Amino acid sequence: MFSNRERAAFSDGTVKREGQVYKHSTLKYPHRLNFYDRPPLEDVTIEEFETCAIDRLRILAEIESSFVRNRSFEELKTVTNAQCLKYLPLHSSTATSEDLEGERRKDHLGHFILRLAFCRSEELRRRFVKAEITLFRVRYESDDTKEREEFLSSRDFDWIAVDKDEKEKFRRELLAASPNLKAELFEKEKFYKVKWTRVPDLVEKRRVFLKGGWAYVPSREQSSIIFQAFQSSLERALEATARALPRLDEDTRIMPILNNLSQGFLAGVPSEWSGNDGSSANGEAIKAEMIDDLARKHFPLCMKNLHDNLRRDRHMKHYGRLQYGLFLKVLGLSIEEAIAFWRKSFSKITEDKFNKEYRYNVRHSYGLEGKRANYAAKSCQQILMNDQPGPGDSHGCPYRHFSEDNLQSALLAAYSHQGLTSSDLPEIMHAVKSQHYHVACTRVFEITHAGSGVGTVKKGEGVGGGESVTHPNQYAARSRELEKAKIESLGGNDDVPMKGEEGGGDAMVLG
């Protein structure tokens, strides 16, 4: 899979590097922690190439979402560890029943594949480095102490241990620079000397003693040296890969994958959730007459907007029908119910015109005409990046394609009955202005499912486990699951009132 030029792109400037010392092990990947110095030198199938990259990108994209959502590091660590366990597990070397070689190989390959995708601009490199250093830090702090020490001893970090005499000579200064270090523990604390440029974060926070260009780093701050070394190493590697990339053979199978991967921070990566095969996510088929109520309670804003426009105009252009029709298909609408729904919705046209111009398209989307493909519903990434809406169109993502004023008005109109208020808008608009549209949608999901009658989602939980919304059907499926759980907890009473309503009330009929 990797050509000689691709391997050269990884290797150029990344192998003979300061601080790189290997103490060989019988294992190809002896440690869970990895500086990714050695490029992959093996054949990889196109399927494995894509899988390794996407699963790693899921984690990096969620890390970036955590930055936008101002999660504390502890919250970020919890979410990241959960995501890693699901998509990219790295078990301890003592876990003899696990495929350690396979896990670490996947981690290694995914990192290098994403280097190809994210090396192509300064902005992409910056975001990739920030997410990767955070992932490394989470793993470092979660690693087994013994294994972490073995990893550190396998590399030369170019620090100098401060001997007893020098340590005593600067006792007062070292204690002053380490306010959390008690005097009675000073003798047991180890210190290391590095050039002050190696620990700019500690210098900025005045947590090290500086003398003659050297920074005296206590062992409790040792991780700062390691993180800075990882960051510098990765930055140089990305720059080398970027210089080599134009010389690579443009494999027509690989370049589209790399282009899609580089968009992962913008739209997130579609998560693996049940239901995208055309069946209802919760195993229940839906009827055409149920859609008004479902739209009011469970749809993300993109689908609410399509539904409202359809009810208002009694018509919808091609891309809108495609986006909404596939969403309804995966939601659980059968072909018979879909034809009934669209026929009733297009009430301005005659039966003959509908049969000639629209019935075929509905059947085609269900795989019953044409090449008979079973089309999947569009993910957030596809909606954001493909088939941009023009004048008169209603498809697309409102968080990206609406003006700021129109978006805020649409949010209040769509979700005020579920507890969203104008005081929630600044936080949502902050994510929109940062171009993290799926994060804005996730925050709306949390607000509208926080004890509103269809769930008790807490801030930061997203659609489960801290995961962000990355697919409209994922949003709707999770919303319906929460409502079902709420009804069951109330003994089967499906008249669940929403926040701001008196006893539930009748479903609002749109149109």
Side-chain angles (χ1 to χ4, degrees), residues 115-230:
R115 275 194 196 178
L116 287 173
F118 286 93
C119 72
R120 293 180 286 179
S121 75
E122 184 176 347
E123 173 66 11
L124 286 176
R125 290 195 295 271
R126 181 190 64 79
R127 294 169 76 171
F128 181 67
V129 168
K130 186 177 181 181
E132 278 284 346
I133 185 63
T134 303
L135 176 59
F136 181 84
R137 181 184 172 189
V138 168
R139 287 175 168 175
Y140 181 89
E141 296 192 1
S142 305
D143 203 10
D144 176 81
T145 303
K146 181 182 177 182
E147 291 186 26
R148 183 170 60 206
E149 289 300 322
E150 289 174 352
F151 166 74
L152 295 180
S153 66
S154 72
R155 302 184 59 86
D156 180 6
F157 286 96
D158 198 26
W159 53 48
I160 302 171
V162 177
D163 61 33
K164 185 176 181 180
D165 292 339
E166 189 175 12
K167 178 180 168 183
E168 191 59 36
K169 178 181 177 181
F170 298 116
R171 179 187 182 95
R172 184 173 61 85
E173 292 86 350
L174 293 172
L175 281 170
S178 306
N180 295 326
L181 177 59
K182 296 180 180 179
E184 57 269 24
L185 299 177
F186 180 77
E187 299 300 330
K188 296 181 180 180
E189 186 76 12
K190 294 181 180 179
F191 287 84
Y192 302 89
K193 285 196 301 187
V194 294
K195 292 294 184 181
W196 70 270
T197 53
R198 297 273 304 280
V199 285
D201 56 329
L202 297 181
V203 173
E204 180 185 10
K205 298 173 183 176
R206 299 186 179 186
R207 288 163 65 176
V208 288
F209 167 56
L210 299 178
K211 180 71 175 178
W214 294 94
Y216 288 69
V217 182
S219 58
R220 63 185 61 200
E221 301 287 0
Q222 188 181 32
S223 60
S224 181
I225 304 173
I226 299 160
F227 299 155
Q228 183 65 30
F230 180 90

Side-chain angles (χ1 to χ4, degrees), residues 5-14 17 36 39 111-121 125 128 233-248 258:
R5 287 187 177 181
E6 286 167 329
R7 289 164 179 158
F10 292 140
S11 301
D12 185 16
T14 67
R17 180 185 302 139
Y36 307 101
H111 171 87
F112 277 97
I113 295 166
L114 291 185
R115 275 194 196 178
L116 287 173
F118 286 93
C119 72
R120 293 180 286 179
S121 75
R125 290 195 295 271
F128 181 67
S233 171
L234 182 54
E235 287 172 345
R236 286 194 297 269
L238 284 169
E239 289 170 1
T241 304
R243 289 193 298 270
L245 194 63
R247 304 195 300 270
L248 299 183
L258 296 180

